[in-house]
Amino acid sequence: MDKPPHRLPVFLNLAQIRFPIGAIASIAHRVSGVLLFIALPVLAALLHASLRSEADFASVRGLLSSPLSLVVAGVLAWALAHHVLAGIRHLLMDVGIGSELERARASARLILVAAPALALLLLVWGLS
Amino acid sequence: MRLNIYRYDPERGDPPRMQAYDVQPEAGDKKLLDLLMRLRVQDDSLSFRRSCREGVCGSDAMNINGRNGLACLTALDGLKEPIVLRPLPGFPVIRDLVVDMTQFFAHYHSIRPWLINDEPLPERERLQTPTERERLDGLYECILCACCSAFCPSYWWNPDKFIGPSGLLQAYRFIADSRDTASAERLDFLDDVYRLYRCRTIMNCTEVCPKGLSPSHAIERIRLALLQRSS
Amino acid sequence: MRLFTGQRAWVVQRLSALLLLVLILLAMLALPFASPLDFSAWRALAGGALGGPLIALLFGALCAHAWVGMRDIVLDYLQPRGLRLAVLGLITVVLLGVLARVLLSLAMVALAA
């Protein structure tokens, strides 16, 4: 077979592809996972500081109740909620529960809606 | 009807472009392929594959309004205009809507898509009970059109190493076959970070399979078989 | 030995996910009964025979889970081998750092008690 003279083009423009609901839930699972990964060293630092001394404990507490950390906490609450819900969905699908297309679509839709709601709940509960 | 079609001519070497077409469907035109055949009369430089025109040969897979499907099974009714046609995503484009399937078939070949049985040949055929035969339902119907693999993000990122939904469905078709004695070797081959485990159960494959099959389910069964074997 | 495993990584991901789910559920069950923490109560909890190991387990599972997940992302999106190994190395260092920091903090509290 003759080799083509130059590299062939490939169509892979993600903006021109219509992604099903499951793909949206999946990329959100990945994005939320990366966010949680980034938060992990910060969390370890906060844990370390909060256990070190009375003064550091107080400053960690102060940091957590600043307005900026409210936004960060909101994003992380969504990330945690989505990642956990999507994770449960995958664990169930691994053993054949809800892995038929119709039910997988429904559960994808469900977690995409439930995660922000759960995040809001977490946030409100954390503030009170 | 208005169409917008991806054009690429390797002889001219220009980058791919989109070309708008207007074509009048005639009585009896029900599927997208009918329209494409009329278009070809209008512009004989337009290239696409087609053969059986009834969803058996798997030649006319393409990206239709952002989703992969077979032109011959896609009803004109309910298609949003302009109908945007592009080649299968992630596959090298040879010309217009014709893509290079070499790698796709290499993956198919790698799973050894034939019965392996080293037991002595019976006098007539190798028999199966109706239950054993039923296990192949939803697997043997695959026509290798590549709609699924070309809609799978994991396949887009690692097309050279990930077998892809189509090949994995075929792999499970032979693992599930009671007449095949090479299940252990087949599973050994699949236990690999690339070949099988690039799958993230996005289920884009099952979403677009024109035969209504579920490669994601087959992959789930392979993972469970691997798990069962190692525990 | 292969650098990246297929089934083993997948099993680690699933098992750590299950463990994290259990820990999250435990925390959710315990939290309504917890009083607002002050410094000494927090230290007593983290340095305790139950709290310390649970926190260590939590971070251990988080790091194992994060490693597999980040590894998969790298294997998908970063193809050049050098870049791939560099980023994977960085991820490993970050996670080992997290683990070391948490274990040190817990040890510090446990020894002080």
Side-chain angles (χ1 to χ4, degrees):
Chain A
M1 209 178 79
D2 287 326
K3 265 250 176 254
H6 50 89
R7 264 191 77 197
L8 299 174
V10 170
F11 161 60
L12 192 57
N13 184 337
L14 299 188
Q16 289 164 340
I17 286 169
R18 208 149 41 93
F19 283 99
I21 191 82
I24 314 261
S26 183
I27 194 61
H29 195 174
R30 188 157 264 195
V31 169
S32 60
V34 171
L35 289 174
L36 293 171
F37 169 76
I38 294 170
L40 206 48
V42 181
L43 192 64
L46 289 178
L47 178 87
H48 181 78
S50 74
L51 287 170
R52 195 165 42 204
S53 70
E54 185 101 48
D56 286 331
F57 180 81
S59 58
V60 166
R61 182 156 265 188
L63 200 68
L64 289 181
S65 49
S66 74
L68 176 68
S69 70
L70 189 66
V71 177
V72 176
V75 172
L76 286 180
W78 168 78
L80 182 65
H82 186 89
H83 206 81
V84 169
L85 291 177
I88 295 172
R89 174 173 178 263
H90 275 308
L91 285 172
L92 290 175
M93 295 204 317
D94 278 344
V95 290
I97 301 170
S99 59
E100 317 86 68
L101 185 58
E102 276 309 319
R103 294 181 66 192
R105 278 183 187 152
S107 63
R109 219 168 284 131
L110 180 74
I111 61 166
L112 280 169
V113 174
L118 194 60
L120 204 65
L121 216 67
L122 272 173
L123 212 58
V124 169
W125 174 78
L127 285 177
S128 63
Chain B
M1 294 184 92
R2 226 180 148 65
L3 290 97
N4 215 357
I5 303 182
Y6 182 103
R7 301 298 310 270
Y8 171 69
D9 180 353
E11 271 107 59
R12 302 216 347 217
D14 300 338
R17 66 198 162 87
M18 297 302 288
Q19 185 174 345
Y21 287 98
D22 262 308
V23 63
Q24 204 48 47
E26 286 176 30
D29 288 357
K30 291 200 160 29
K31 305 291 183 184
L32 178 59
L33 183 62
D34 300 330
L35 209 58
L36 278 174
M37 296 306 287
R38 295 210 182 282
L39 210 55
R40 181 119 90 183
V41 177
Q42 202 174 305
D43 175 358
D44 64 4
S45 74
L46 179 67
S47 303
F48 54 91
R49 288 196 184 104
R50 62 104 185 81
S51 177
C52 77
R53 56 112 186 85
E54 57 182 17
V56 175
C57 72
S59 308
D60 59 351
M62 55 187 72
N63 190 269
I64 306 161
N65 282 349
R67 278 176 84 113
N68 296 351
L70 298 180
C72 58
L73 293 186
T74 302
L76 284 173
D77 265 4
L79 266 188
K80 217 184 96 202
E81 283 183 68
I83 305 167
V84 181
L85 300 181
R86 290 193 169 89
L88 288 177
F91 281 49
V93 180
I94 296 174
R95 180 188 292 271
D96 299 343
L97 300 174
V98 178
V99 294
D100 183 358
M101 311 268 283
T102 311
Q103 194 155 57
F104 174 81
F105 283 118
H107 282 304
Y108 175 56
H109 191 259
S110 79
I111 61 102
R112 296 194 288 170
W114 52 84
L115 276 182
I116 299 172
N117 192 325
D118 41 26
E119 286 156 16
L121 276 170
E123 208 151 303
R124 301 184 69 177
E125 68 261 66
R126 297 195 195 275
L127 295 173
Q128 275 188 312
T129 66
T131 326
E132 287 168 340
R133 169 60 189 76
E134 258 169 41
R135 275 184 217 133
L136 306 181
D137 287 346
L139 302 169
Y140 79 92
E141 300 95 324
C142 172
I143 56 172
L144 295 167
C145 65
C147 278
C148 59
S149 291
F151 210 52
C152 169
S154 299
Y155 192 75
W156 294 338
W157 317 140
N158 285 291
D160 52 334
K161 305 191 205 78
F162 178 44
I163 290 175
S166 169
L168 290 170
L169 178 110
Q170 294 282 352
Y172 187 63
R173 180 247 170 275
F174 289 96
I175 291 169
D177 197 315
S178 62
R179 298 164 297 177
D180 190 278
T181 57
S183 281
E185 292 92 312
R186 293 181 188 280
L187 288 173
D188 277 338
F189 176 74
L190 293 175
D191 182 11
D192 178 87
V193 65
Y194 289 111
R195 287 181 195 136
L196 171 69
Y197 286 99
R198 281 306 79 214
C199 170
R200 313 249 62 84
T201 324
I202 301 166
M203 286 182 79
N204 272 13
C205 50
T206 304
E207 284 275 356
V208 295
C209 178
K211 306 297 281 183
L213 311 179
S214 180
S216 56
H217 184 62
I219 294 170
E220 164 197 318
R221 301 307 290 267
I222 297 175
R223 285 203 213 103
L224 284 180
L226 273 163
L227 200 60
Q228 221 159 29
R229 194 182 62 154
S230 57
S231 60
Chain C
M1 204 188 88
R2 280 181 296 181
L3 188 53
F4 307 116
T5 61
Q7 193 196 21
R8 200 172 62 195
W10 185 81
V11 168
V12 166
Q13 185 178 50
R14 264 52 184 184
L15 283 183
S16 56
L18 279 172
L19 185 57
L20 287 168
L21 270 181
V22 171
L23 289 173
I24 288 171
L25 279 177
L26 276 180
M28 274 166 49
L29 288 177
L31 271 174
F33 301 102
S35 46
L37 277 177
D38 60 16
F39 179 62
S40 54
W42 172 227
R43 270 180 74 102
L45 179 70
L50 190 64
L54 277 182
I55 292 174
L57 194 65
L58 173 73
F59 276 89
L62 277 173
C63 287
H65 192 78
W67 199 83
V68 178
M70 294 304 289
R71 181 203 75 153
D72 280 334
I73 290 177
V74 169
L75 292 185
D76 279 354
Y77 302 139
L78 302 181
Q79 298 298 336
R81 201 178 155 78
L83 182 65
R84 201 178 240 198
L85 291 179
V87 174
L88 274 172
L90 189 71
I91 290 166
T92 311
V93 168
V94 167
L95 290 175
L96 286 178
V98 166
L99 221 49
R101 187 155 212 179
V102 168
L103 290 178
L104 275 174
S105 312
L106 292 174
M108 172 183 84
V109 178
L111 287 177

